[in-house]
Amino acid sequence: MREVEITSIHQVTPGVKQFELADDEPFDYEPGQHTQLHFDASEASEVDTSGDDDEVVRPYTPTTLPGTDRLVLAIKRYDDGTASVYMHEQDPGNTIRIEKPDGNLYLRNLDSDVAFVSTGTGITPMMAMVKHYLRDGDGHATFLYGEKTQDDVMYRETLDQLEAENENLTVAYSLSDEEWDGRTGHVQEHVESVVPDPESTDFYCCGVPGMVVETKAELEEIGVPEERIYSEGWEEDEVSDE
């Protein structure tokens, strides 16, 4: 467990804040892995913690690469979300407790073409992984990101700049609740038309569980081997419980 300081807070979209965390020692992890936020329920005075034990634990994924003493988290506020409300009420200078990042999402093969498929704050591990791939990878990267409206799109300026600077990166946005000049509908509907060679591509998926499950099914249907599809791995259980 590490106690880290919140050094800055930035409003990314109307519902999402970005938190820069700092410590004395560098953070070590695989890009794409998540940390766990810990806090006592008694600290969350502005939210209903009656359904939580004494300690609240929630996962969040750094958008930054490892190796520095800074870690950046992007967190969407949900009015009924214990941890998200707690974090959105923090101020610079406050300290929080986090675990060493871990998890199943990280790049397996830097020599393979890759595709990142995400919705909402599921983009956070993808931001770290695409930076890693553009720095060290040898193939082509496709970044598919779905949101409801243009106002909800996170890191659009960063992604557009990365695409302009890297010939081996294609970025494809899709909006499900707004008509615009770009792609519409669910992001998984555009995989086959955007990814150059799906069967020879490693896919990394993150977002709402339903999207991840549907994307996996769509990929297998178009011939992508199961061993080339990666996610956190808990999504099927979430969907089956709905």
Side-chain angles (χ1 to χ4, degrees):
M1 192 74 65
R2 298 174 69 165
E3 185 171 288
V4 296
E5 180 183 355
I6 300 173
T7 54
S8 70
I9 301 174
H10 173 66
Q11 196 82 40
V12 179
T13 71
V16 177
K17 284 185 178 180
Q18 176 177 281
F19 300 83
E20 182 184 71
L21 313 177
D23 196 10
D24 294 333
E25 299 294 329
F27 293 96
D28 180 28
Y29 54 93
E30 292 288 339
Q33 293 182 320
H34 65 268
T35 184
Q36 296 272 13
L37 167 70
H38 289 246
F39 63 94
D40 294 331
S42 60
E43 299 177 64
S45 58
E46 300 299 323
V47 295
D48 179 13
T49 59
S50 57
D52 290 286
D53 296 327
D54 291 340
E55 185 175 52
V56 180
V57 182
R58 296 290 189 275
Y60 294 106
T61 306
T63 63
T64 40
L65 294 175
T68 74
D69 61 358
R70 305 283 163 162
L71 201 72
V72 173
L73 306 178
I75 299 175
K76 182 175 181 177
R77 177 185 171 120
Y78 296 93
D79 290 340
D80 59 350
T82 304
S84 69
V85 173
Y86 169 77
M87 284 300 296
H88 271 241
E89 292 176 350
Q90 297 297 315
D91 295 310
N94 291 358
T95 59
I96 58 173
R97 291 176 291 125
I98 62 172
E99 293 182 25
K100 173 182 170 60
D102 198 1
N104 296 323
L105 270 182
Y106 56 89
L107 290 171
R108 273 28 178 223
N109 184 359
L110 290 167
D111 295 325
S112 170
D113 287 353
V114 296
F116 306 103
V117 186
S118 63
T119 57
T121 51
I123 192 178
T124 54
M126 308 306 183
M127 292 302 295
M129 286 193 286
V130 73
K131 294 171 188 174
H132 181 196
Y133 189 83
L134 292 175
R135 185 188 67 188
D136 300 329
D138 289 329
H140 186 273
T142 307
F143 199 105
L144 296 101
Y145 174 41
E147 263 295 1
K148 292 182 178 180
T149 71
Q150 292 188 72
D151 287 342
D152 296 314
V153 174
M154 300 168 56
Y155 299 118
R156 184 172 183 179
E157 183 177 338
T158 299
L159 286 169
D160 289 347
Q161 182 174 346
L162 287 174
E163 184 178 32
E165 295 173 349
N166 295 273
E167 293 182 355
N168 64 329
L169 173 64
T170 299
V171 178
Y173 305 102
S174 179
L175 302 181
S176 60
D177 288 357
E178 179 181 335
E179 293 295 329
W180 69 317
D181 293 338
R183 296 172 182 83
T184 58
H186 295 141
V187 64
Q188 61 268 27
E189 299 169 0
H190 301 286
V191 168
E192 192 171 11
S193 64
V194 174
V195 179
D197 185 8
E199 294 182 29
S200 301
T201 299
D202 287 346
F203 284 84
Y204 299 88
C205 307
C206 190
V208 294
M211 180 280 291
V212 175
V213 170
E214 288 181 18
T215 299
K216 287 182 174 182
E218 171 69 18
L219 293 175
E220 292 179 19
E221 187 174 321
I222 64 176
V224 179
E226 184 179 357
E227 60 269 21
R228 282 186 171 271
I229 307 171
Y230 303 97
S231 69
E232 285 288 5
W234 46 262
E235 299 85 4
E236 286 82 358
D237 291 337
E238 287 288 318
V239 171
S240 63
D241 290 341
E242 291 179 353

